[in-house]
Amino acid sequence: AGWHEGRDFEHYRDVSPRFCSEFGFQSYPSMDVIRSFAGSEDFNIAAPVLESHQKNAGGNARIAETMFRYFRFPFTFEDFVYLSQVQQGLAIQTAVDYWRSLKPHCLGAIYWQLNDTWPVASWSSLDYGGGWKLLHHMARRFFDPVRVLAVPTERGIALKAVNDTADVVDIDMTVRAASVDGSVRPLSTATGSVPTERSAVLATIADGTLRDDEILVFDWTVPGRPTARDHFAPKRYKAYRLQPPRIRTRVKRVEGMWQVTLESAALALFVALEPSVPGRLSDNAVTLLPGQHVRLFVTPHSAGDAVPFTVRDLHSATFATPA
């Protein structure tokens, strides 16, 4: 539905499979991969070089058309590539979160596809060469054995917990409303024991609770595991007038890795590091709230003195004036 039929991602919630074995959405390969086959003069999705690296008829147009539905359009080619990967992750997460919320009716989902045999725009979550697209980072989170997920209902937004471990787990959740102006207000907290045989509703955010300029941000903690976070936007992202988050970065070397600390002055969505050299990131496409910091670790494949990187987020990709 998401790809071949060109339907909205929300239509994934119209399907209630017992097990979904194939579904997907395309994105472009990451910039380090694109630079391996295209020069800067070809950094345009309509350039022959880029079109030759898209083997699904109408694929580039479908990526762009879907982007118009969900996001303000990106400025640069690099922003377009980044946003295509955000969009791919959003498509697959919409499906997986809903199907996991149906447990035990649905007990499995396998997205198409894992990897590529050459550098190409495709449904993969791993780039040619093994690098992680944003989807692969997001999939690590939305397939986490213990997870809180948001599902819209007729009366609001249900926050459900799902537990695929062997034992009942205790979970603590904090729910906040984050405004684009940088303010954050608490909405609720919840504590519960999550069974293994079914999903469990932890809280319901009633219609009208969120203002037009607010999205839902929720954190949860399970004993012995680090605190996790996700967000849910009731409206399409293009409807929110995001403010410049003024993301600050601090970098230091820690045992062969580069520790990157990110802080923002306002709500920042899908914050992503793009290292200039091949390597592995501890996480990516994260949500930042003002006054809080997130630490990411970059492990380069080859030892070096530094790993220059670009920081992208939804505001910088779709609001900022190009240089």
Side-chain angles (χ1 to χ4, degrees), residues 291-311:
Q292 300 181 352
H293 67 264
V294 171
R295 286 198 180 103
L296 305 180
F297 293 89
V298 183
T299 306
H301 291 336
S302 300
D305 293 334
V307 180
F309 56 84
T310 300
V311 180

Side-chain angles (χ1 to χ4, degrees), residues 21-26 88 92 110-114 122-125 135:
S21 61
E22 185 178 329
F23 63 103
F25 198 87
Q26 275 199 355
Q88 180 190 34
I92 306 307
I110 302 175
Y111 64 79
W112 182 272
Q113 69 201 67
L114 179 63
S122 83
W123 302 265
S124 73
S125 62
L135 168 58

Side-chain angles (χ1 to χ4, degrees), residues 55-199:
K55 294 305 182 186
N56 187 256
N60 287 353
R62 190 169 293 116
I63 292 171
E65 190 274 332
T66 305
M67 222 176 256
F68 270 121
R69 284 188 242 167
Y70 287 93
F71 303 99
R72 301 186 185 202
F73 214 63
F75 284 104
T76 68
F77 175 75
E78 290 90 344
D79 292 331
F80 191 98
V81 169
Y82 154 81
L83 199 56
S84 81
Q85 293 196 7
V86 170
Q87 175 172 268
Q88 180 190 34
L90 178 65
I92 306 307
Q93 178 172 340
T94 300
V96 172
D97 274 355
Y98 178 66
W99 294 336
R100 291 192 74 183
S101 79
L102 300 177
K103 184 180 181 179
H105 176 84
C106 180
L107 289 174
I110 302 175
Y111 64 79
W112 182 272
Q113 69 201 67
L114 179 63
N115 57 1
D116 284 323
T117 58
W118 70 301
V120 64
S122 83
W123 302 265
S124 73
S125 62
L126 292 177
D127 277 316
Y128 178 68
W132 289 29
K133 291 184 179 179
L134 296 185
L135 168 58
H136 211 74
H137 288 283
M138 295 169 72
R140 184 182 58 79
R141 299 196 296 264
F142 62 66
F143 274 125
D144 194 87
V146 180
R147 171 164 173 76
V148 175
L149 44 87
V151 178
T153 69
E154 293 180 354
R155 292 176 294 178
I157 303 166
L159 292 169
K160 291 186 171 184
V162 63
N163 170 23
D164 288 341
T165 69
D167 302 301
V168 174
V169 297
D170 295 323
I171 195 165
D172 294 309
M173 180 182 70
T174 300
V175 187
R176 286 169 283 190
S179 170
V180 297
D181 69 7
S183 63
V184 179
R185 62 187 179 98
L187 292 182
S188 66
T189 59
T191 300
S193 294
V194 186
T196 59
E197 72 275 9
R198 58 176 173 80
S199 64

Side-chain angles (χ1 to χ4, degrees), residues 269-281:
L269 302 175
F270 303 108
V271 180
L273 294 185
E274 291 181 8
S276 61
V277 297
R280 180 60 53 84
L281 278 74

Side-chain angles (χ1 to χ4, degrees), residues 244-279:
R246 300 194 298 277
I247 296 172
R248 300 176 297 279
T249 62
R250 299 194 307 274
V251 183
K252 70 175 182 178
R253 188 158 192 137
V254 179
E255 298 177 355
M257 300 181 293
W258 293 95
Q259 175 185 287
V260 182
T261 302
L262 301 168
E263 294 182 73
S264 68
L267 173 69
L269 302 175
F270 303 108
V271 180
L273 294 185
E274 291 181 8
S276 61
V277 297

Side-chain angles (χ1 to χ4, degrees), residues 170 221-227:
D170 295 323
T221 304
V222 176
R225 300 164 66 98
T227 298

